[in-house]
Every structure is written in C-alpha cells, then in structure tokens.
C-alpha cells in the first residue's frame, strides 16, 4: 500500500463508489431515525404539555437515555436487535428523542396564555387549538429541537459502523485502525459537511416568517422521508454465511486482502468493531469473525479457530515500544519492562484473557495474580521520581499488560505511573506515543510492519513469515524512522485468526479456512 | 338577554365571586366596574364558560348555558380580551376570519364581511395582509374588535377593551365605539376599572367590590343615589366631571332662561352639560340654541348654563 503518496483527492476519487454509498447510508440512517424520533417525540411532547405532571418523568427518562455512552448503547442493543441497521436506528432514535420531546414541550407551554385563551373564547375545540394555534406557534422551537437532534444524529451515525450498519464511520474507523489519514478524512470531511449543510438548511427554515414557514413545513416531511429512504435496509445476504471483520482486518495483507488473494474466499462481509464482534458471533448474527489467536473471548463465547492451512496469518511477537527520549529520562525503565520478557506464553495469555473476558475479573486483579504467581510482584515503593505514562489499545489483553507494567514500575522503581488505556486503535495509540502523550505501549511486530511501516509489498512478504526476522526489521526501522525502541518480546505470539462457533464448525464440518472456502463455493 | 343567578366562584381560598346576580336586557350595555381583583373578569368569563361557576346559573336568551356545548356557545358570543390576544401567526384577514372558518362560511362571504368591518373600524386597506406585530396598539385593538364582531353575534363580552391603549388613542376609540351602529343592536357586557369609561359607555353600571355586587343602576342613579359609602367614595374623585357628563340639557331645562323665538340651527336637549360647555368654549359663539322636548327653543350662554346646572344640583340634594 502506498497511501502516503496518494492525495486525499485521489483517495476519494478512487473510492468514490464506496464514499457515495456510505454517504447515502449515513444520511439515510440519520433521517430514518430522525423521522421515527419525530413520530414518537412530538406526540409525547404534546402529551406532557397537556399533563404537566408527567413531564418530569418523561423528560427525566429521555435525559438519562441520552447520557448513555453511544458505544455502550450499541452494545446493549445487540442481544435484543442483533447487528446492522435496526439497533443503529434505535440507538440514534434514542439520542434524538430528548431534544424533540423537550422542545415540543417548552414550545407549547411557552405560548402566550392570552393567545390560547383567545382561541378557546372563539370556540375552537381542543384539537383545533392544538393544530391551528399551539403547534404553529411552537414550530420554531420544535424545529430547533429537530435541528439539534439531527446534528447529534449525523455525529452518532458515524458509530453505526461499529455494529455493521455502515455509514461514513466505516472510513473513519477503518482509517484510524489502518493508520490511513486519507481514509479518515474521506469519512470525516463529508460527515462534518453533512452536519454543517443540514444544520444551515434547518436554521434557514427556522428563521422564516410564518408565511414562508407554512409552505416549508409541507415540504419538510417529504424531504425527511426521501432522505430516510436512502438507507435501503441491508439486502438479503449474498452467501449462506456472514462474516464480520474489523476495519483493520479489512485493510491488512494478513487479513481480508490475504483471504481473498490466497484462499479465494468469497463471503458476504460486513464491517464491525472488535468490541461487539464476538458477541455478535455468539448470538449467531455473524458466522465467521476475525479475531486474535490469544483472545479470551474465544473460550468465553465457545468459538473455534479455523486452521490457517495456507498460513496467511503469520505469528507475531508482542513487545513494549518506547521512545528513545523516554528511555534516557527513565534509565531503569527498559530493565523493568524487560522483567516480563519471555514470561507469558500463548497458553498463559489466552488464559489471562479468559479471566477478564469471561470470568469478568478486573485486569488489575488478573495482572496481580499473575505477577505474584511468577514471583515478580513487589509492593509499590510510592516513589516520586517522575511519571511514566502507559498506553494501551482498547481490548482486554492490552489492559492486562498495561496493569502488569504499571505494577512492575511501581514495585521496582521510584517512578510514578499514569495509565491511558483504551486508546481506540493502532493509529491513535501510535500517534499518542509520537506526540509525547504516552511513554510506551505494547505493540505487535506484525502491526508494526504492516500498519505502521507499510514497506514495499515485496519486503513485507519476504519478512512476514518469520517472526524473528520481522522483529529485527521493525526494531531497526523504528529506530531509524521514529526513534522508538522495541524492547524484548513478552513471549506469546499473537496473530489474526478466523473463528466460528464450535457447534457450527462441527455441523458444517468446517475446520480450516480451505474447508470454509469449499463450503461457501458449494452452497 | 343575559341573566346571572346567584353565581359564586372560588379559587382555592379566594372567593372571587360571591352570589352575584344581574340581568342585562336585550341591546343594553352593562358595564362591570370595580377596582382590580374584585372579580370582574371572572364574572365575564362565566358568561361564555371560559370559567365554570361553583354555584348558580347563567342564562342567555332564557337558555341555561351549562346545557350547551361550550365550543358552540362560544362561537356565538363575541369576546374582546384585555390583552387583545390576536394570533401572532395569522395576518389580519386570517385573524378576523377565525370564527367564520369555524362556522364554515364560504370564502366570498368572509371576504365581503371582512371588507365591511375594515371600513367601519377605520383599519387601513393594506393591513389585511399584515401580521399583528406590524400594527399599532390601537389598530390591534380594532382588529380584536373586528374579530369579535365578524359573525354579528347578538351578545358581546369585552374585558377592558381599551386598557392596553394610551390615553389619546383610548379617548378617540371610545368615541368611535360609541358611534358604531353594529354595537347598538347588541347585548354587551363590558369590564372596566375606569370610572369615566364606564360613564361614557354604559347604559347601566354594575359596581363591584371584593367579589360582591354593590350597586346596579344607570350612571345617574349611581351618582345621585349611591347605595352606601363605598359607592359614594368610588365616584368622589371625579364627581364634578361625571355630573357634567350625566346631566343633560333637558334635566336643567326648567332652570334655563325663558324661551326665545330665535331662528337657526338648534342643538338637541339630549346633549349633556359637559358637551355643551365644550361647544361654548371651543367655538366663537357666546350662545347655543337648544331645542327642548315640546318644540320650544332656548338660547343659552356660559353663565346661564352654569347657573342652571347649580340650581339643578341644589334641587337634587334637597329632594
Ligand atoms: N385562575 C385563577 N386562579 C386563582 N385565582 C384567581 C384566578 N383568576 C382570578 N383569581 C383571583 O380571583 C380574584 C378576582 O380576579 P379577577 O376576576 O381577574 O379580577 P378583576 O378582573 O376584577 O381584576 C382575584 O383575587 C384573583 O387573584
Ligand atoms: Mg380583569
């Protein structure tokens, strides 16, 4: 891959089909959910303006729903609604509700009492008062609510890609995982433009006087409906099985690209985030997923790794990477971090992951138990000789490693520790390191090679199947290019793997990736 | 005809109206007069069921209004509000057309009637397409009146209709109002706290205090036969002015000089003393020619006028 030489414009041009589809999906998601939110929020707002006693409860609930973090909300949806459009629309709808209900309510109760009384005195019935007086007068306020809801939705809709509902988030989060700035911008710029343009359009309508407003209000529902229609609900699956791959996996040679070129695998694929992928496989929303070979959720969700019989997923070492500057500033650091070198085997790592992912032990406790059992644990010295900042990516294994390093540093040196865990992707983690916001984090040599260095495909291929060669290569290149050191490997080999549910694998008699390809070709 | 029988209304602990009863005759104007908070608005709103009484009944043209659908009742009663209450999202024409539309009048009929009212109420032609906020206070009040009059209801309720206007505008609109032919054939209940306004416009005045009716009578009765101290004191401040307003040339006829056989344009003896004095003051005439009931005419100058008035006053006191 050579995005570095490619301009954003070239990227967008090259990917224009995808970009167009994603934009339509994005607009569609935003407006379908907006439409439903209006259909629910408007009557609810009217209701609580009539029965004020209910207003506290209804607004309270809507308010609480809105404070639920979007990713968590999406996560809650999966067991109930699965993945794809439905949960995404419901989540967006939930965020859009509060501003619409609240503004309908305040819009109506804010109307001059005398005007309402005049309407009554002239003999209008309750429904006539609502339709001819209250709603028309509340419209500017209600529109402001719809506008807020819409802008929120354009933003939150980027997260829909986490649960395979598409939208511009596919580019944004794919780009973050793949260290591809053009890809991020190709998603982020249209998303921002969408928000700005739609916001400006609605603000125009909002500022119209009553005469023009009346006409605009006839057109608005039609427009919302049409825009909502852009989102054709995902069509019937192309193949009998569905695969869910992370954005990073989609773009890697030791990922989807390799599956296509080496195995010739043709499977209906949707893009989904690592955080919800396993759950989706477990609840049969997905049949095949991309995971890590040491992931504890393998055990937790009763999944089986398909044998990589043409070895496109070479094993890679995990090791902490540290800036040279930092090593100078904290002379004891390298030695301390290396205490863990060679100590954690594949089996051990999988077990540790299992404890956090399945037994729900805290990463801290898992880390401590392990250090105690290997005799590495020392009580904290509570020193004050500078603060070491540890980073980690957003999955279980990285949290555990970060905890172990933190305990080792506290127990063996006079340094203090602060952790910045849960950095959402390789690019975010690496950028944080380069920009001196963290001092080190655990990285994998394969990711270092294919995602961060992105060497000539020939070199990559030559290197990829030898983990020691890879380690030597990335060590040298990182030093040269970034002034970053790879410390000694921790021991376990992490690699990508394809997984299926145990039972399905047995039922279909699919044990290797070649089996999978043959099964798909036949069915 | 409107009749209230023993009407009472409580708001929480406040007894806003306590057993109020009165009758308004066909085509009569009754003014509810009293200080702020005495229950005038509450009384008025019970006539079109914007407020339901706790006890007592209201009859309009002999029919108990609680037996009628409130919305239908209200479309048949004109209502002019203290705060005007025009619809800000409707232009003038649409504001006037609200009730006709509820009654499903056809467009042409609405248009003709609106045009008629615009002219009668001296609203500018181009105001029809204007929105309330583009109008002056006086114009807004005229629109409010047009809105109440458009279907020509036989009953009109008005709550401090001129309360929101400045003094100059108020006086001129009051005058126009008095001259409006449309209003002369209506049964009107009007609320005000302004004694002068009450005297200017009322056939009879209903003086109220703290939810109770103190006295009902013509302005003259209120002035010369106050029922108690409250009624007397209520008018005390503007007594002389009110007397000039209430006393007519025919009242002081016996105290004016002898009949003259002068020719010329004579004024009606129905004119009140105040207006006669105004005429003498503003014109360069030193005498007015007034024709009495039995076709006799008298020429009156300022001196004779005040003298006659004083003699009339003395006679009232000694009665
Ligand atoms: N909706 C209401 N709720 C409670 N008290 C009210 C209400 N309307 C009127 N009142 C009270 O009833 C009394 C009479 O009010 P109102 O009829 O408006 O007086 P007026 O029109 O003579 O100024 C006042 O004491 C007022 O505070
Ligand atoms: Mg009042």
């Amino acid at each position: 891959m050579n995005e570095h030489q490619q301009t954003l414009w070239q990227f967008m041009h090259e990917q224009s089909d995808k970009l167009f589809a994603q934009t339509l999906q994005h607009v569609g998601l935003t407006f379908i959910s907006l439409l439903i939110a209006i259909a629910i929020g408007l009557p609810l707002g009217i209701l609580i303006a009539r029965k004020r006693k209910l207003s506290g409860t209804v607004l309270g609930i809507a308010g609480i729903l809105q404070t639920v973090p979007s990713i968590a909300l999406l996560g809650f949806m999966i067991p109930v609604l699965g993945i794809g459009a439905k949960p995404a629309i419901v989540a967006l709808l939930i965020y859009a509700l509060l501003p619409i209900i609240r503004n309908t309510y305040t819009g109506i109760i804010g109307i001059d009492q005398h005007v309402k009384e005049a309407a009554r005195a002239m003999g209008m019935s309750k429904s006539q008062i609502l339709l001819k007086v209250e709603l028309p007068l509340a419209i500017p306020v209600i529109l402001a609510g719809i506008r807020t809801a819409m802008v929120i939705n354009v933003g939150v809709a980027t997260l829909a890609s986490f649960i395979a509902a598409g939208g511009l988030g596919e580019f944004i989060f794919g780009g973050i995982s793949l260290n591809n700035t053009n890809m991020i911008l190709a998603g982020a710029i249209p998303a921002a433009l969408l928000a700005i343009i739609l916001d400006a359009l609605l603000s125009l309508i909002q500022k119209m006087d009553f005469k023009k407003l009346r006409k605009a209000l006839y057109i608005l529902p039609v427009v919302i409906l049409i825009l909502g229609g852009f989102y054709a609900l995902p069509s019937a699956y192309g193949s009998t099985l569905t695969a869910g791959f992370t954005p990073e996996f989609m773009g890697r040679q030791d990922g989807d690209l390799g599956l296509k070129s080496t195995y010739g695998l043709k499977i209906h694929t949707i893009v989904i985030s690592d955080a919800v992928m396993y759950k989706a496989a477990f609840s049969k929303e997905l049949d095949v997923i991309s995971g890590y070979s040491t992931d504890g959720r393998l055990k937790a969700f009763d999944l089986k790794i398909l044998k990589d019989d043409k070895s496109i997923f070479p094993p890679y070492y995990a090791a902490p990477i540290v800036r040279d500057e930092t090593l100078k500033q904290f002379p004891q650091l390298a030695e301390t971090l290396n205490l863990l070198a060679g100590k954690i085997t594949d089996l051990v790592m999988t077990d540790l992951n299992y404890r956090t992912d399945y037994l729900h032990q805290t990463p801290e406790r898992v880390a401590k138990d392990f250090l105690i059992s290997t005799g590495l644990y020392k009580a904290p010295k509570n020193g004050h000789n500078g603060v070491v900042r540890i980073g980690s990516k957003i999955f279980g294994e990285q949290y555990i490693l970060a905890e172990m390093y933190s305990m080792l540093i506290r127990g063996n040196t006079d340094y203090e520790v602060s952790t910045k865990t849960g950095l959402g992707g390789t690019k975010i983690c690496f950028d944080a390191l380069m920009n001196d916001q963290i001092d080190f984090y655990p990285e994998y040599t394969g990711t270092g090679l294919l995602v961060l260095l992105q060497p000539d495909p020939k070199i990559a291929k030559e290197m990829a199947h030898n983990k020691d060669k890879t380690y030597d290569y990335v060590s040298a290149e990182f030093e040269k290019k970034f002034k970053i050191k790879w410390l000694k490997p921790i021991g376990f080999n992490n690699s990508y793997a394809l997984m299926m549910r145990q039972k399905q694998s047995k039922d279909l008699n699919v044990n290797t990736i070649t089996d999978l390809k043959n099964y798909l070709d036949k069915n | 005809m409107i009749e209230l029988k023993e009407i009472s209304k409580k708001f929480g602990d406040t007894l806003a109206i306590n057993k109020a009863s009165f009758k308004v005759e066909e085509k009569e104007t009754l003014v509810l007069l009293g200080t702020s908070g005495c229950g005038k608005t509450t009384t008025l709103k019970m006539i079109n069921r914007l407020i339901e009484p706790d006890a007592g009944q209201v009859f309009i043209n002999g029919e108990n209004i609680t037996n009628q659908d409130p919305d239908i009742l209200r479309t048949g009663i004109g209502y002019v509000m203290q705060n005007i209450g025009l619809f800000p999202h409707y232009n003038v024409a649409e504001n006037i057309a609200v009730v006709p539309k509820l009654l499903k009048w056809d467009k042409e009929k609405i248009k003709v009637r609106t045009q008629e009212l615009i002219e009668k109420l001296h609203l500018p032609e181009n105001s029809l397409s204007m929105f309330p906020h583009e109008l002056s206070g006086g114009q807004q009040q005229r629109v409010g009146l047009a809105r109440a009059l458009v279907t020509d209801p036989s009953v009109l309720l008005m709550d401090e209709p001129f309360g929101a206007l400045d003094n100059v505008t108020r006086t001129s609109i009051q005058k126009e109002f008095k001259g409006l032919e449309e209003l002369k054939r209506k049964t009107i209940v009007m609320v005000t706290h302004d004694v002068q306004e009450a005297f200017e416009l009322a056939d009879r005045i209903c003086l109220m205090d703290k939810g109770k009716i103190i006295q009902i009578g013509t302005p003259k009765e209120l002035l010369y036969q106050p029922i108690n101290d409250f009624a007397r004191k209520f008018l005390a401040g503007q007594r002389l002015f009110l007397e000039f307003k209430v006393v007519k040339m025919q009242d002081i006829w016996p105290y004016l000089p002898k009949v003259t056989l002068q020719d010329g344009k004579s004024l009606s003896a129905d004119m009140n003393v105040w207006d006669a004095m105004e005429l003498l003051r503003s014109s360069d005439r030193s005498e007015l020619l007034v024709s009495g009931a039995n076709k006799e005419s008298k020429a009156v100058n300022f001196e004779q006028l005040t003298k006659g008035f004083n003699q009339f006053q003395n006679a009232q006191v000694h009665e």
Side-chain angles (χ1 to χ4, degrees):
Chain A
M1 274 181 278
N2 48 357
E3 280 89 356
H4 284 311
Q5 290 92 319
Q6 202 177 28
T7 65
L8 171 63
W9 188 242
Q10 282 169 331
F11 179 88
M12 288 170 95
H13 191 71
E14 192 184 290
Q15 303 276 341
S16 60
D17 283 356
K18 254 191 183 170
L19 185 61
F20 186 65
Q22 286 185 14
T23 309
L24 285 192
Q25 281 175 340
H26 205 93
V27 173
L29 272 177
T30 305
F31 280 91
I32 285 186
S33 50
L34 193 64
L35 192 69
I36 305 175
I38 294 173
I40 298 174
L42 201 66
L44 216 51
I46 293 168
L47 178 78
I48 60 174
R50 288 269 177 285
K51 306 203 185 315
R52 305 268 170 99
K53 275 185 204 148
L54 292 176
S55 64
T57 320
V58 171
L59 291 175
I61 293 173
I64 289 168
L65 283 176
Q66 197 162 44
T67 61
V68 178
S70 24
I71 297 277
L73 192 62
L74 292 173
F76 291 142
M77 296 281 165
I78 293 175
V80 191
L81 294 171
I83 55 172
K86 262 187 280 169
I89 289 171
V90 173
L92 287 174
L93 146 73
I94 285 174
Y95 286 112
L97 270 182
L98 178 67
I100 293 176
I101 300 176
R102 189 185 47 206
N103 283 38
T104 306
Y105 171 72
T106 48
I108 289 178
I109 65 166
I111 296 170
D112 186 355
Q113 280 306 317
H114 302 113
V115 172
K116 281 193 217 176
E117 183 166 73
R120 222 152 69 83
M122 274 182 287
M124 285 191 177
S125 65
K126 280 209 167 110
S127 58
Q128 284 168 332
I129 294 176
L130 179 69
L131 291 175
K132 294 185 173 197
V133 179
E134 289 178 308
L135 283 182
L137 285 176
I139 274 293
V141 185
I142 297 175
L143 279 178
I146 293 178
R147 188 174 156 201
T148 311
M150 189 189 60
V151 174
I152 292 176
N153 271 8
V154 172
V156 178
T158 55
L159 301 178
S161 64
F162 280 169
I163 51 169
L168 289 162
E170 280 189 13
F171 270 158
I172 298 176
F173 295 104
I176 290 172
S177 301
L178 294 167
N179 188 23
N180 183 336
T181 310
N182 284 337
M183 196 189 261
I184 298 174
L185 291 177
I189 292 175
L193 282 178
L194 263 184
I196 293 169
I197 292 170
L198 292 175
D199 188 54
L201 279 181
L202 258 190
S203 91
L204 257 172
I205 297 178
Q206 212 185 325
K207 285 194 196 110
M208 283 181 186
D209 61 23
F210 285 115
K211 262 183 263 184
K212 288 186 199 146
L213 189 60
R214 243 181 267 170
K215 277 179 214 141
L217 284 179
Y218 288 120
I219 304 168
L220 196 66
V222 181
V223 172
I224 293 183
L225 212 62
I226 292 172
L227 291 177
F230 283 163
Y231 194 84
L233 294 172
S235 47
Y237 289 151
S239 62
T240 45
L241 299 180
T242 301
F245 296 153
T246 61
E248 178 157 352
F249 187 83
M250 289 299 287
R252 278 174 71 146
Q253 201 54 49
D254 61 339
D256 190 51
L257 302 177
L259 281 176
K260 284 208 179 91
S261 59
T262 311
Y263 283 100
L265 191 72
K266 283 190 215 95
I267 186 165
H268 174 253
T269 305
I270 54 184
V271 181
I272 190 166
S273 93
D274 174 77
V276 296
M277 183 174 65
Y278 292 87
K279 216 185 230 172
F282 181 68
S283 57
K284 302 189 184 161
E285 296 288 339
L286 297 173
D287 302 302
V288 181
I289 58 169
S290 63
Y292 293 102
S293 55
T294 54
D295 200 304
R297 285 172 292 192
L298 263 174
K299 228 167 155 182
F301 291 113
D302 203 23
L303 301 174
K304 179 194 167 103
I305 292 184
L306 299 184
K307 195 170 180 312
D308 175 22
D309 46 341
K310 293 188 181 165
S311 48
I312 58 163
F313 303 139
Y316 299 113
Y317 285 123
I321 59 174
V322 199
R323 267 177 309 116
D324 291 351
E325 286 285 307
T326 310
L327 290 174
K328 249 182 254 158
Q329 191 188 343
F330 302 104
Q332 288 172 277
L333 188 64
E335 185 190 332
T336 311
L337 298 184
N338 281 336
L339 285 173
L340 215 53
K343 286 289 191 307
I344 304 179
T345 63
D346 288 4
L347 223 59
V348 172
M349 195 67 239
T350 309
D351 180 57
L352 296 178
N353 282 332
Y354 174 70
R355 289 189 199 196
T356 53
D357 293 337
Y358 190 65
L359 303 179
H360 302 301
Q361 296 175 354
T362 62
E364 190 186 351
R365 170 159 166 218
V366 173
K368 193 166 173 182
D369 285 352
F370 172 81
L371 291 182
I372 291 173
S373 73
T374 49
L376 289 171
Y377 186 78
K378 283 185 190 161
K381 288 171 135 184
N382 293 321
H384 295 290
N385 205 358
V387 181
V388 181
R389 296 158 304 169
I390 309 178
S392 90
K393 297 186 196 177
I394 188 160
F395 52 93
E397 175 173 305
Q398 292 256 331
Y399 286 90
I400 300 174
L401 292 173
E403 284 298 339
M404 287 185 186
Y405 285 129
S406 153
M407 287 170 192
L408 288 174
I409 294 170
R410 286 201 173 99
N412 291 291
T413 71
D414 285 329
Y415 310 140
E416 286 179 79
V417 175
S418 78
T419 50
K420 292 192 178 164
T421 51
L423 301 174
T426 298
K427 181 170 173 55
I428 293 177
C429 241
F430 188 71
D431 283 351
L433 184 68
M434 289 295 285
N435 295 320
D436 194 17
Q437 283 161 335
I438 56 175
D439 291 314
F440 74 92
Y441 74 93
E443 186 52 283
Y444 308 88
T445 52
T447 306
L449 179 73
L450 296 172
V451 177
L452 296 172
L453 288 176
Q454 300 180 355
D456 198 87
K458 253 195 247 157
I459 300 177
K461 207 162 189 183
E462 195 180 300
M463 204 78 59
H465 293 276
N466 186 323
K467 52 186 178 181
D468 291 314
K469 245 187 180 169
T470 307
Y471 180 82
D472 292 340
Y473 180 79
V474 294
S475 293
E477 287 295 310
F478 267 57
E479 188 60 61
K480 210 160 64 191
K481 266 191 164 159
F482 309 125
K483 304 243 172 299
I484 285 174
K485 268 215 172 50
W486 285 77
L487 299 186
K488 287 187 194 160
I490 304 166
F492 63 90
N493 298 302
N494 199 348
S495 75
Y496 271 124
L498 279 198
M499 315 172 179
M500 284 178 93
R501 287 183 299 282
Q502 290 275 11
K503 183 166 180 313
Q504 191 179 36
S505 150
K506 208 183 279 168
D507 290 350
L508 304 181
N509 196 22
V510 169
N511 296 303
T512 66
I513 299 178
T514 306
D515 288 348
L516 178 65
K517 178 202 174 333
N518 292 338
Y519 173 84
L520 285 168
D521 288 350
K522 263 184 279 166
N523 288 282
Chain B
M1 197 202 56
I2 302 166
E3 184 172 10
L4 272 70
K5 278 188 181 164
E6 305 256 304
I7 289 283
S8 295
K9 178 74 190 177
K10 256 188 172 179
F11 293 112
D13 288 338
T14 351
L15 191 56
I17 295 296
N18 190 4
K19 291 194 179 160
S21 302
F22 60 72
K23 230 176 173 176
V24 192
E25 298 300 335
E26 194 81 32
K27 297 182 187 171
E28 189 191 21
T29 300
L30 179 80
V31 172
L32 303 180
L33 176 65
T35 48
S36 170
C38 73
K40 307 179 296 290
T41 299
T42 309
T43 307
L44 192 73
K45 284 182 181 172
M46 285 191 289
I47 299 174
N48 65 358
R49 295 184 64 184
L50 284 178
I51 295 178
E52 301 284 355
D54 295 335
Q57 292 113 37
V58 180
F59 297 88
I60 295 180
N61 297 329
E63 233 188 297
N64 189 333
I65 61 167
T66 36
N67 299 331
Q68 298 176 33
D69 178 286
D71 294 335
I72 293 172
L73 172 76
R74 289 180 198 131
T75 48
I77 298 178
Y79 189 70
V80 181
M81 299 172 64
Q82 185 166 5
N83 307 78
I84 308 175
L86 294 179
F87 294 160
H89 59 305
Y90 281 6
N91 63 29
V92 169
E94 290 165 326
N95 263 293
I96 295 176
V98 170
V99 182
K101 275 188 183 153
L102 291 177
L103 295 176
K104 307 224 163 22
W105 283 19
D106 65 51
K107 271 188 187 157
E108 196 49 39
K109 189 175 171 193
I110 298 178
K111 209 174 147 191
V112 170
R113 177 64 175 148
T114 306
Q115 198 58 42
E116 187 185 343
L117 281 169
I118 286 277
E119 282 160 24
K120 280 187 183 169
L121 292 170
H122 305 294
L123 279 160
E125 184 71 28
N126 64 356
S127 66
L128 280 177
S129 58
M130 285 159 98
F131 282 82
H133 68 92
E134 299 169 303
L135 304 177
S136 72
Q139 287 172 327
Q140 287 182 25
Q141 193 53 275
R142 287 164 203 265
V143 176
L145 193 59
R147 182 174 70 171
L149 292 178
V150 61
T151 57
D152 201 11
S154 63
V155 173
L156 183 63
L157 308 178
M158 299 198 286
D159 193 350
E160 313 230 5
F162 312 114
L165 305 178
D166 61 89
N167 277 332
V168 178
T169 318
R170 179 164 54 224
T171 318
S172 73
I173 293 195
Q174 273 172 5
K175 236 180 224 137
E176 275 178 41
F177 179 89
K178 222 177 150 182
L180 265 182
E181 223 31 69
E182 294 244 352
L183 293 171
K184 290 186 179 151
R185 52 176 194 254
K186 293 196 188 314
T187 309
I188 299 174
V189 181
M190 190 184 109
V191 163
T192 186
H193 63 267
D194 179 343
V195 180
Q196 279 187 35
E197 186 170 285
F199 272 68
E200 194 81 51
L201 301 175
D203 292 322
R204 283 190 303 146
I205 293 173
C206 171
L207 182 63
M208 298 178 65
D209 183 40
K210 298 192 189 106
K212 285 197 129 166
I213 294 178
I214 304 297
Q215 185 174 3
I216 303 181
T218 61
K220 212 161 153 189
E221 283 167 351
L222 250 74
L223 206 49
Y224 291 108
Q225 291 129 44
I227 199 168
N228 61 11
D229 255 11
F230 177 84
R232 191 172 301 116
K233 277 185 189 150
F234 201 84
L235 307 178
Q238 299 162 69
R239 184 148 199 115
L240 187 61
F241 171 75
L242 295 176
E243 283 168 350
F244 284 145
K245 278 279 191 186
V246 160
V247 177
K248 298 191 169 157
M249 293 306 282
Q250 69 205 21
D251 294 324
I252 60 169
W253 198 255
Y255 311 103
L256 293 178
K258 286 278 171 275
V259 178
T260 56
L261 291 169
Q262 213 172 316
D263 267 350
K265 252 176 69 187
S266 62
L267 297 157
S268 156
D270 207 31
M271 169 182 266
N272 63 39
V273 174
W274 175 267
D275 290 344
M277 287 163 91
E278 284 279 280
L279 268 178
L280 279 170
R281 218 178 20 204
S282 61
S283 66
D284 42 13
R285 279 182 287 182
S286 60
E287 281 190 336
L288 292 178
L289 190 61
V290 185
S291 57
N294 42 6
K295 289 193 177 168
E296 50 180 19
S297 297
K298 290 185 179 182
V300 190
N301 64 23
F302 201 89
E303 219 167 290
Q304 291 162 334
L305 187 61
T306 44
K307 198 173 158 200
F309 178 75
N310 283 335
Q311 281 171 339
F312 170 81
Q313 289 283 84
N314 285 334
Q316 299 301 311
V317 175
H318 297 300
E319 234 171 46

